[in-house]
Amino acid sequence: MDSNLLHIPFVDLSWQNEPLLADIDKGMRDVMARGDFILGKEVREFEADFAQACGVKYGIGVGSGTDAIALGLRACGIMEGDEIIVPANTFIATVIGVILAGAKPVLADCDINTALMDLELAQKVVTEKTKAIIPVHLYGQMVSPQKLKEFAQNNNLIIFEDSAQAHLAQREGKIAGSVGLASGFSFYPSKNLGAFGNGGMVVTDNQEIAQKLRSLRNYGAPKKYYHQNFGTNSRLNTLQGVVLKVKLPYLRKWNNWRNQAGAKYNQLLKPLAEYGITPIKNVVGEGHIYHLYVINVKPSSFYDRNLIQDKLNEVGIQTGIHYPIPCHLQPAYGYLGYQKGDFPNAESLCDNILSLPMYPGITDEQLQMVSDKIKEIVKS
Ligand SMILES: *Cc1c(COP(=O)(O)O)cnc(C)c1O
């Protein structure tokens, strides 16, 4: 290693995994001895534990967060041709889930300060065909449950939450996953609760939806070799169930660590407001679980987001961009008919945001080094 570099990674999972490896190893050996590799004992236990942690009755483990959205929407009764409102600045999997469910994604712009979907702008794209809205609790901060419920009631829509970045996030006393008719989670390794591979879950309070999902994920078969629905193969495997079940009891502590690191960054970076650098606004307080810590860099003639990213990289500080291209400008979705300029806030964020190192285990010293370096870059 070059000792002049700071070596601050964007995400470091070893800190959380290391102390749990003995328990995970034991659990995996049990699975290998039993042989129930797919939807086995620990999957059923983790489904119950995770649903309870979200404050809902049922959890249905699936193969990925993308499938959680696609199958979850179908289980909620979404049909071919239905329109579903999604934010323009989400990870593309939200859009893919809608299309896989047979529906049409209709995009809405976000609030430039919070990066969350703006419900006043969403109101403008509601048509007779709109059946659902997918709030994305982006970066770990929930969209207001109260405003969502009002919006859904006024327009007679289903709420399906994309909670892939919001495991146990809270707002207005509600936990992510307990606001909508159903909600999709991802357990991709770098999410706040991550497996050792792909995984996802739908949570819901609705028994019929839960039943339908158990069928859809398993070839559409509510019982073996009887195919009631057109289904697929998207099941959580038991080795991932072991990892997730061992990790879940630590999630609150890890989320608190992130929240405190976020608060510390906010404080350290405050003096940069006069240089046009502001964090994405936390309007939620402690319920924000900072899946990502994102700053917005107003470009000047001396620096912009890309320059800051390059300079940080040069000294060994890894960063990310979530996301560099908004959904409506991705080549694969050109057929939806959107153009540059349609969602100015999402477009501006894509050009100017930067995600700083954030993970449970990040130290005050590291946060200080990251902010000192940014200050040095913009002041030089
Ligand atoms: C990660 C993510 C997904 C997709 O989850 P996968 O498990 O990767 O399929 C969906 N939506 C959002 C907002 C995500 O961050």
Side-chain angles (χ1 to χ4, degrees):
M1 282 212 273
D2 182 340
S3 57
N4 292 323
L5 293 184
L6 296 174
H7 296 292
I8 304 180
F10 180 58
V11 176
D12 180 1
L13 300 177
S14 62
W15 182 89
Q16 59 169 243
N17 290 336
E18 208 66 46
L20 306 181
L21 291 181
D23 285 350
I24 291 171
D25 186 63
K26 181 179 179 313
M28 287 193 168
R29 282 167 194 278
D30 289 348
V31 177
M32 288 184 261
R34 285 197 315 268
D36 57 345
F37 290 104
I38 304 287
L39 298 180
K41 176 168 163 279
E42 283 81 0
V43 170
R44 291 191 298 275
E45 290 168 353
F46 174 66
E47 286 177 335
D49 291 352
F50 190 70
Q52 190 184 33
C54 296
V56 298
K57 288 201 188 112
Y58 308 101
I60 302 91
V62 295
S64 70
T66 307
D67 281 351
I69 297 167
L71 299 178
L73 288 171
R74 282 183 56 201
C76 288
I78 292 302
M79 313 257 251
E80 191 97 28
D82 289 347
E83 291 181 3
I84 301 185
I85 301 174
V86 302
N89 62 323
T90 183
F91 180 54
I92 201 67
T94 318
V95 170
I96 293 176
V98 169
I99 295 169
L100 285 175
K104 181 182 171 194
V106 174
L107 304 180
D109 207 355
C110 61
D111 179 285
I112 192 118
N113 297 308
T114 63
L116 297 174
M117 182 154 61
D118 182 329
L119 292 176
E120 277 171 37
L121 296 175
Q123 185 64 55
K124 296 190 177 153
V125 298
V126 174
T127 75
E128 262 133 66
K129 289 189 184 159
T130 313
K131 288 287 155 53
I133 179 162
I134 304 188
V136 178
H137 304 312
L138 198 71
Y139 307 150
Q141 173 158 250
M142 286 178 73
V143 180
S144 164
Q146 227 167 305
K147 287 196 183 138
L148 270 171
K149 288 204 161 154
E150 251 169 60
F151 181 88
Q153 249 157 28
N154 290 344
N155 296 291
N156 196 22
L157 303 180
I158 289 168
I159 301 170
F160 185 95
E161 299 165 76
D162 180 340
S163 304
Q165 302 188 1
H167 313 70
L168 305 190
Q170 291 198 38
R171 184 167 183 177
E172 298 158 10
K174 286 280 190 183
I175 306 172
S178 70
V179 178
L181 181 58
S183 171
F185 286 88
S186 163
F187 304 119
Y188 180 79
S190 63
K191 306 289 185 182
N192 287 39
L193 180 61
F196 288 178
N198 280 307
M201 189 170 288
V202 184
V203 302
T204 180
D205 253 335
N206 183 301
Q207 190 182 11
E208 267 171 61
I209 291 172
Q211 260 166 1
K212 178 121 191 239
L213 273 159
R214 287 195 193 102
S215 170
L216 289 178
R217 73 175 169 182
N218 192 32
Y219 315 112
K223 56 184 189 223
K224 208 163 188 184
Y225 305 133
Y226 177 75
H227 302 281
Q228 172 109 40
N229 318 100
F230 169 62
T232 186
N233 172 2
S234 181
R235 302 172 295 200
L236 192 57
N237 77 62
T238 318
L239 295 175
Q240 303 307 341
V242 167
V243 175
L244 293 164
K245 188 176 171 249
V246 168
K247 282 189 172 189
L248 180 58
Y250 300 88
L251 180 57
R252 277 197 185 86
K253 196 179 88 183
W254 294 339
N255 281 345
N256 279 340
W257 192 300
R258 289 172 182 270
N259 183 274
Q260 279 166 24
K264 179 101 192 181
Y265 263 140
N266 283 344
Q267 188 200 332
L268 290 168
L269 296 173
K270 215 174 219 161
L272 289 178
E274 62 175 297
Y275 293 87
I277 296 180
T278 46
I280 294 297
K281 199 167 175 186
N282 176 353
V283 291
V284 163
E286 290 180 1
H288 190 332
I289 60 159
Y290 284 100
H291 172 60
L292 297 167
Y293 185 89
V294 179
I295 58 170
N296 189 353
V297 180
K298 189 168 171 232
S300 78
S301 40
F302 301 104
Y303 54 82
D304 60 12
R305 182 271 312 276
N306 293 338
L307 181 117
I308 291 177
Q309 180 171 45
D310 291 346
K311 295 257 178 202
L312 289 174
N313 192 40
E314 277 170 22
V315 296
I317 297 172
Q318 287 179 2
T319 58
I321 299 171
H322 302 86
Y323 299 92
I325 304 174
C327 297
H328 66 291
L329 301 179
Q330 294 288 356
Y333 306 99
Y335 74 94
L336 293 171
Y338 296 109
Q339 284 166 14
K340 199 169 166 71
D342 282 349
F343 304 108
N345 293 339
E347 290 169 27
S348 158
L349 287 175
C350 286
D351 289 341
N352 298 322
I353 50 178
L354 187 65
S355 309
L356 303 182
M358 169 58 81
Y359 48 89
I362 195 167
T363 63
D364 281 355
E365 196 192 358
Q366 289 173 315
L367 299 170
Q368 182 84 49
M369 288 194 283
V370 174
S371 25
D372 284 352
K373 191 67 209 175
I374 298 173
K375 286 175 192 165
E376 196 187 303
I377 296 166
V378 300
K379 289 178 184 176
S380 66

